[in-house]
Amino acid sequence: MAALPDLPHWEQTPADLKDATRQIKAALRARIAASGRSADEVFAVIEHTIGAEAAGVAAARQRGETIWPVIDYADIEAGTVPAQAQQLLRRRGCLVVRGHFGRDQALAWDRELVDYVGRNRFFQNYRGPADDFFASVGGKPEIYPIYWSPPQMQARQSGRMARVQAFLNRQWRHESNGTRWFDPDRDSLYPDRIRRRPPGTTSAGLGPHLDPGALELWMTQEYQRAFRHLFDGTVERYDPWDAAHRTAGPQYPSSTMCSAFRTFQGWTALSDMAHDQGVLHTVPIPAAMAYLLLRPLLADVPDDDMCGVTVGRTFPVTEQWHAPLRQALTGLPDVRAGDSVWWHCDMIHSVAPVEDQQGWGNVMYIPAAPWCPRNERYAASVCAAFRTGSSPDDFPAEHYERDWPDRFPLAGLNEIGRRGLGLA
Ligand SMILES: [Fe+2]
């Protein structure tokens, strides 16, 4: 194939977003056209395949079929996950791990978290939400900006967590062209918060969005390489499980950014949750990124607009531009305390609204963030935050735990914990 025209790129947030958007869209159209098909023709391929997959998911859901794959932790530990279950995981990009931790263990962790914040007078000192992505409930937060409790650290550095993360990481192609993009057997312990949503909660939920980035997905060189098949007219070869060029590049600074590369986002349930109580939904199609990244190139989108994607907020998935994808939004099945829930980092997700929630909705956010240049860089700042009980750099600088004497101690780290923080 003849050399295609280069793309302009911005390694930091462009000063003039509209101008950069016009430039990159023109360059992408020209590059795709040089491959022999127009951007419209290439998008038509994606619209057909992804649209059919989305319609299929919606139809199966309406027939009452279970959409989310479910795998028993025991099968992951024993290496006996049926081939069919693994195929479904790769097709859907999301998973419930049943019995990841014992139910009693998870419920004990939940009680311990309550005691931990109680002993340290968290609610008396709570200053209100430092970001506006999650509502607070009746003056008490739903998301606790707590990172260093014993239960969180015990779960992050447990062998059971490491085994599931390694299993999930290995769904990705992590080596190609002589480069090992990440180490599937070493996690970087990405610290995130907890959510405790009490019975009786009425919440508007969270609209469909994705978290791996926003304008940088089109505008930085490493992402342009990661999504090379979308941007050079060979969309049929696009593989959402290929980690090449995803694990080193920059992200534009933003209060919603995630510095880490995550193969999967995830959380561990600390309470039983019924499927109709405001739970997580996904569009269970990992390759939907192809649709999201090419849709702005069609003529009905203004030249300075990326279907509403901008800096400083998450990537929105809207009825106006992405309706065929949204029909596939599908909620979790019932989960029990100790189950964990995972979704491919590119996947569209939302949280359903709930009125007068029955039962608690409690989770610890723990993703799979394997060791790679990007995560190694962030791990250094995570380790410093751990030592001082500070909020990690990706989160608002609230630092509630700095003077809490009973947070998880350095001496409590095991081998997995030390490796995850870059200490071994
Ligand atoms: Fe999200």
Side-chain angles (χ1 to χ4, degrees):
M1 191 191 289
L4 300 176
D6 286 338
L7 296 173
H9 58 93
W10 295 260
E11 299 310 297
Q12 290 166 354
T13 311
D16 185 339
L17 291 180
K18 286 186 181 298
D19 183 56
T21 301
R22 275 189 293 266
Q23 282 188 51
I24 192 67
K25 285 173 69 161
L28 285 167
R29 287 192 188 109
R31 185 174 165 86
I32 292 170
S35 77
R37 284 187 293 183
S38 69
D40 285 20
E41 287 168 324
V42 163
F43 183 76
V45 173
I46 290 298
E47 192 175 31
H48 180 72
T49 54
I50 304 281
E53 182 74 10
V57 167
R61 193 185 59 233
Q62 271 148 24
R63 289 194 300 271
E65 291 174 25
T66 304
I67 301 297
W68 278 70
V70 177
I71 293 177
D72 285 331
Y73 172 76
D75 278 332
I76 294 174
E77 186 181 282
T80 53
V81 176
Q84 219 181 356
Q86 204 157 161
Q87 276 162 18
L88 192 63
L89 161 60
R90 290 168 58 92
R91 179 170 181 189
R92 298 273 195 249
C94 54
L95 179 68
V96 175
V97 177
R98 284 273 184 242
H100 187 169
F101 295 98
R103 187 165 180 275
D104 291 347
Q105 166 74 84
L107 294 175
W109 275 338
D110 191 49
R111 282 192 302 274
E112 229 180 298
L113 282 165
V114 173
D115 291 346
Y116 177 69
V117 298
R119 279 195 303 275
N120 291 294
R121 300 179 54 79
F122 170 64
F123 295 118
Q124 290 88 334
N125 295 324
Y126 182 62
R127 297 183 294 269
D131 59 34
D132 56 5
F133 305 109
F134 299 99
S136 61
V137 183
K140 272 193 176 184
E142 178 180 308
I143 301 287
Y144 297 11
I146 299 302
Y147 306 89
W148 307 117
S149 68
Q152 284 163 293
M153 285 302 291
Q154 285 161 14
R156 288 176 193 142
Q157 68 166 3
S158 75
R160 294 174 85 93
M161 184 56 74
R163 242 170 251 128
V164 169
Q165 287 164 333
F167 169 75
L168 292 167
N169 290 337
R170 286 180 182 284
Q171 307 309 313
W172 285 71
R173 185 143 56 94
H174 49 88
E175 278 184 50
S176 55
N177 300 332
T179 303
R180 193 177 202 220
W181 301 100
F182 65 76
D183 178 350
D185 296 318
R186 179 179 182 183
D187 190 78
S188 65
L189 260 59
Y190 186 79
D192 203 328
R193 307 179 274 197
I194 59 171
R195 186 189 78 174
R196 298 192 78 257
R197 210 168 66 183
T201 296
T202 292
S203 159
L206 209 54
H209 67 280
L210 53 153
D211 293 321
L215 284 181
E216 60 266 57
L217 301 178
W218 292 274
M219 291 184 177
T220 61
Q221 192 158 41
E222 281 300 282
Y223 274 124
Q224 289 171 354
R225 288 175 175 153
F227 298 120
R228 59 199 174 282
H229 292 303
L230 305 183
F231 298 156
D232 71 2
T234 57
V235 281
E236 289 83 356
R237 293 173 58 200
Y238 173 62
D239 175 7
W241 300 98
D242 178 0
H245 301 288
R246 282 176 171 253
T247 57
Q251 277 211 300
Y252 296 159
S254 148
S255 60
T256 61
M257 78 185 288
C258 174
S259 297
F261 165 69
R262 296 176 287 193
T263 53
F264 284 79
Q265 292 182 254
W267 47 256
T268 300
L270 298 182
S271 67
D272 300 343
M273 280 172 268
H275 68 277
D276 55 358
Q277 297 301 309
V279 299
L280 178 78
H281 284 53
T282 61
V283 172
I285 307 173
M289 185 61 107
Y291 190 110
L292 297 168
L293 292 187
L294 293 175
R295 182 66 184 82
L297 303 184
L298 298 197
D300 60 341
V301 185
D303 266 350
D304 58 2
D305 180 11
M306 282 299 200
C307 295
V309 181
T310 183
V311 295
R313 50 175 297 204
T314 53
F315 190 128
V317 177
T318 62
E319 204 53 44
Q320 182 182 9
W321 302 119
H322 311 115
L325 301 176
R326 287 167 54 116
Q327 66 176 322
L329 263 178
T330 303
L332 285 173
D334 294 347
V335 295
R336 281 164 44 103
D339 295 346
S340 61
V341 168
W342 304 89
W343 63 103
H344 184 293
C345 58
D346 287 352
M347 273 182 15
I348 300 161
H349 54 285
S350 68
V351 180
V354 63
E355 219 170 285
D356 188 19
Q357 178 182 294
Q358 303 301 298
W360 286 87
N362 302 347
V363 309
M364 285 196 272
Y365 295 102
I366 303 179
W371 205 254
C372 62
R374 195 164 137 188
N375 293 355
E376 183 171 356
R377 270 199 305 277
Y378 187 60
S381 83
V382 165
C383 188
F386 168 64
R387 285 173 185 275
T388 57
S390 304
S391 299
D393 283 352
D394 273 357
F395 296 90
E398 295 165 290
H399 307 311
Y400 285 107
E401 294 168 275
R402 277 186 177 167
D403 58 357
W404 295 11
D406 50 353
R407 61 176 200 262
F408 189 84
L410 188 65
L413 291 174
N414 64 14
E415 177 72 12
I416 296 169
R418 281 193 297 275
R419 276 164 54 85
L421 293 174
L423 296 171

